[in-house]
């Protein structure tokens, strides 16, 4: 796998040094290290690491709360702890932690967990992007369908003819089809905006394009 920039937040200095050494031997870069959660959040904002290793029982802000904040920053987290109680694992899962290591951490388990956690995070991000793109496409389809309905009612034309009108005007104004649809809808709704002149032109075109 590629070399990762990793943030290590662990309040036990010797453990932190051991983990840093293991990560560096695996080819990763420890871009920042600290011993409490608040500092980890501060470093994460400054450095934007690829991954964070967080001790659960840290002062000021515990690892799980820190992981929750980092998740909102699109930074995956792996938890480090000497505890393996189910309720701690459940808390970690609820904040979308990507991995879990019980101390003392072996070099082999650390490398494997980092690799799997980062791969899992990339997969999650890919799915999130696909869902966002799908939602956007559906929204665009709804806008185009609404604009066609407006033209059909106004011009008494077929759906195919309405779609062709939208395409012709979008090409004429060098606009994406969905933006043309928005302008038709805005003109019909009587919306007023800095682009009102163009909206009016678009509306006029759509009314007169069949004459």
């Amino acid at each position: 796998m590629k070399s990762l920039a990793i943030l290590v937040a662990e309040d036990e200095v010797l453990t932190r040094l051991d983990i840093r050494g293991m990560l560096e031997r695996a080819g990763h870069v420890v871009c920042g290290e600290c011993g409490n959660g608040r500092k980890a959040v501060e470093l994460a904002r400054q450095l934007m690491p690829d991954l964070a290793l967080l001790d659960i029982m840290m002062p000021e802000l515990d690892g799980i709360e820190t992981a929750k904040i980092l998740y909102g920053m699109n930074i995956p987290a792996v938890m480090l702890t000497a505890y393996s109680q189910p309720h701690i694992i459940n808390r970690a899962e609820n904040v979308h932690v990507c991995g879990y290591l019980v101390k003392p951490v072996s070099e082999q388990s650390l490398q494997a967990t980092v690799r799997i956690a980062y791969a899992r995070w990339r997969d999650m991000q890919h799915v999130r992007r696909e869902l966002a793109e799908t939602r956007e496409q559906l929204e665009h389809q709804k806008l185009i369908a609404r604009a066609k309905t407006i033209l059909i009612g106004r011009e008494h034309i077929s759906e195919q003819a309405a779609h062709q009108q939208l395409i012709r005007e979008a090409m004429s104004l060098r606009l994406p089809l969905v933006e043309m649809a928005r302008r038709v809808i805005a003109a019909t709704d009587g919306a007023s905006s800095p682009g009102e002149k163009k909206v009016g032109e678009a509306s006029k075109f759509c009314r007169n394009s069949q004459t």
Side-chain angles (χ1 to χ4, degrees):
M1 68 178 295
K2 74 168 190 173
S3 174
L4 301 178
I6 299 177
L7 170 65
V8 179
E10 162 63 61
D11 61 338
E12 296 177 4
V13 177
L14 292 178
T15 300
R16 191 165 73 232
L17 291 174
D18 286 343
I19 290 172
R20 176 176 189 141
M22 288 187 279
L23 290 172
E24 290 177 344
R25 285 192 292 275
H28 303 301
V29 175
V30 176
C31 62
E33 54 183 289
C34 61
N36 67 75
R38 293 194 186 280
K39 184 64 176 179
V41 172
E42 179 184 333
L43 288 174
R45 289 197 177 106
Q46 294 174 357
L47 304 171
M48 293 304 295
D50 297 313
L51 182 78
L53 297 178
L54 307 173
D55 182 29
I56 283 185
M57 303 301 291
M58 290 189 293
E60 297 190 34
L61 190 67
D62 72 28
I64 294 177
E65 289 301 314
T66 303
K68 184 177 181 180
I69 295 171
L70 266 54
Y71 178 79
M73 298 163 60
N74 284 327
I75 299 172
V78 170
M79 307 310 300
L80 300 164
T81 183
Y83 308 93
S84 58
Q85 291 95 330
H87 75 279
I88 292 179
I89 295 175
N90 290 338
R91 279 189 67 207
E93 288 176 346
N94 289 335
V95 297
H96 307 284
V97 167
C98 292
Y100 193 89
L101 284 165
V102 178
K103 296 183 286 187
V105 178
S106 71
E107 193 155 351
Q108 183 177 10
S109 64
L110 177 63
Q111 292 180 17
T113 300
V114 166
R115 178 187 293 269
I116 293 169
Y118 188 68
R120 179 187 177 194
W121 177 257
R122 285 191 306 173
D123 289 343
M124 289 171 59
Q125 293 296 94
H126 180 69
V127 170
R128 288 172 66 183
R129 283 194 298 270
E130 286 188 334
L131 288 173
E133 289 171 2
T134 299
R135 285 194 293 267
E136 184 179 41
Q137 289 171 2
L138 288 173
E139 182 61 27
H140 288 180
Q141 290 171 5
K142 289 178 182 178
L143 290 170
I144 291 168
R146 185 180 173 195
K148 287 193 294 184
T149 298
I150 290 169
L151 294 179
I152 290 168
R154 179 193 299 154
E155 308 294 339
H156 305 291
I157 57 178
S158 68
E159 181 179 354
Q160 181 179 7
H163 193 78
Q164 290 173 344
Q165 278 188 229
L166 283 174
I167 292 174
R168 285 196 299 270
E169 180 64 359
M171 293 177 64
S172 174
L173 296 177
R174 297 183 180 180
L175 293 172
L177 187 60
V178 68
E179 179 59 28
M180 188 65 239
R182 287 194 182 100
R183 292 188 177 202
V184 170
I185 294 167
T188 301
D189 291 345
S192 178
S193 67
E196 186 174 2
K197 182 178 179 181
K198 288 188 176 180
V199 169
E201 291 173 354
S203 179
K204 180 179 179 181
F205 173 88
C206 291
R207 286 194 300 269
N208 298 331
S209 60
Q210 294 295 314
T211 61

